[in-house]
Amino acid sequence: DAGVTQSPTHLIKTRGQQVTLRCSPISGHKSVSWYQQVLGQGPQFIFQYYEKEERGRGNFPDRFSARQFPNYSSELNVNALLLGDSALYLCASSLGQAETYEQYFGPGTRLTVT
Amino acid sequence: DAKTTQPNSMESNEEEPVHLPCNHSTISGTDYIHWYRQLPSQGPEYVIHGLTSNVNNRMASLAIAEDRKSSTLILHRATLRDAAVYYCILRRGTSGSRLTFGEGTQLTVNP
């Protein structure tokens, strides 16, 4: 089975622009989470979606938004990009929300804001 | 979420066992202890998790202290491929799928 896939792999944007990142979870997984990883730090939680509803939100500004589609794929949108948004954006999927479920991460999308 | 404390870095030799410690003195009774690792240029990957008893799987073993205030991830025979950042994470049911990553331990494996 394919793992978690993310697109695009790399992206370069200019300050003030908007970006959409995409994630396809492992087949059968209904929970998708998004993380931001700045160089040299651990990933920081942005959003979690389960059964197409937002179930958790991290400490990120309203410029960040996400949604989950009926096929459980997900998009992360970031508006009015800042230089500080440059990071690796990771998507993770799991069967459900329980604390015993493993999270499977994709390879990430590297976003560079200039 | 309860906080975990790990050494910034550790070093090991290939084919030797590695013990990666984690302190979590404020752990609650329902917190599961999870370990993930992140190889260079990859997303994190699940290693192991446990609640109270020691756990073994094909990748590693998890030893949990009796008072649950600390745990140790054990790699029985380190390989060069085990060089990664290892994260110790506490998860509870109210947090859903959220993982709270700290700085982790950078493991270097010498040939």
Side-chain angles (χ1 to χ4, degrees), chain A residues 31 33 35 37 40-45 48 57-58 90 94 96-103 105-107, chain B residues 30 32 34 36 38 41-46 49 87 91-103:
Chain A
S31 175
S33 300
Y35 292 82
Q37 187 172 27
Q41 297 182 18
Q44 299 299 304
F45 173 78
Q48 187 226 335
R57 174 185 285 253
L90 295 159
S94 63
Q97 296 193 103
E99 64 274 34
T100 54
Y101 283 128
E102 304 170 28
Q103 298 284 314
F105 283 81
Chain B
T30 56
Y32 279 80
H34 285 248
Y36 282 75
Q38 188 169 21
S41 302
Q42 294 187 27
E45 67 172 339
Y46 167 84
H49 77 273
Y87 296 99
R91 289 187 66 186
R92 59 182 58 166
T94 54
S95 298
S97 297
R98 176 194 301 234
L99 296 176
T100 301
F101 289 83
E103 300 297 319

Side-chain angles (χ1 to χ4, degrees), chain B residues 73-90:
Chain B
L73 179 70
I74 303 166
L75 306 179
H76 295 286
R77 290 182 70 227
T79 69
L80 296 178
R81 195 193 171 277
D82 291 322
V85 179
Y86 286 79
Y87 296 99
C88 170
I89 297 168
L90 301 182

Side-chain angles (χ1 to χ4, degrees), chain B residues 19-32:
Chain B
H19 291 235
L20 297 165
C22 181
N23 287 317
H24 28 78
S25 58
T26 60
I27 191 171
S28 76
T30 56
D31 286 342
Y32 279 80

